[in-house]
Amino acid sequence: MVKFTIQSLLIAVIFLVGVLLGMQQANEGMRKMKGYNDPSLERVIHVSKDETIVLGQSIEEKKEKLQQIEAFNMFSKAGQKLATFVHSLVEHMLSFMQKAG
């Protein structure tokens, strides 16, 4: 089961990288077809010493937005509480089964 999960995640990551590279190639192809540099066509990924930009937005900006969203995300907190409850329930059930067996 663990091997399957790792293989599935690896395949998903490979496909994601492939999609991003394909988007970059399509962008460059559009620029070549036009014959001039159009500033409205942004690069998909731009990496420099100071920052990394994905789809026209820096990673730092995305992190800030996620932090703001997480501050008001009540479903996330409810999910964490539910996960903690289920985890403790399973632990108690397993300990009970060990004592009974």
Side-chain angles (χ1 to χ4, degrees), residues 43-77:
R43 295 187 67 160
V44 176
I45 299 174
H46 177 71
V47 179
S48 65
K49 289 182 181 179
D50 300 329
E51 64 181 350
T52 302
I53 299 174
V54 178
L55 297 174
Q57 193 175 26
S58 73
I59 299 293
E60 288 79 19
E61 290 174 5
K62 289 185 179 200
K63 284 181 184 178
E64 289 175 7
K65 283 185 179 180
L66 281 175
Q67 288 175 353
Q68 290 174 355
I69 290 171
E70 286 180 10
F72 300 107
N73 192 352
M74 67 178 181
F75 294 112
S76 175
K77 291 180 182 178

Side-chain angles (χ1 to χ4, degrees), residues 70-98:
E70 286 180 10
F72 300 107
N73 192 352
M74 67 178 181
F75 294 112
S76 175
K77 291 180 182 178
Q80 288 175 350
K81 289 181 181 180
L82 179 66
T84 303
F85 172 73
V86 169
H87 181 74
S88 63
L89 180 69
V90 169
E91 279 183 343
H92 289 297
M93 288 174 59
L94 289 176
S95 66
F96 178 73
M97 290 172 68
Q98 283 180 344

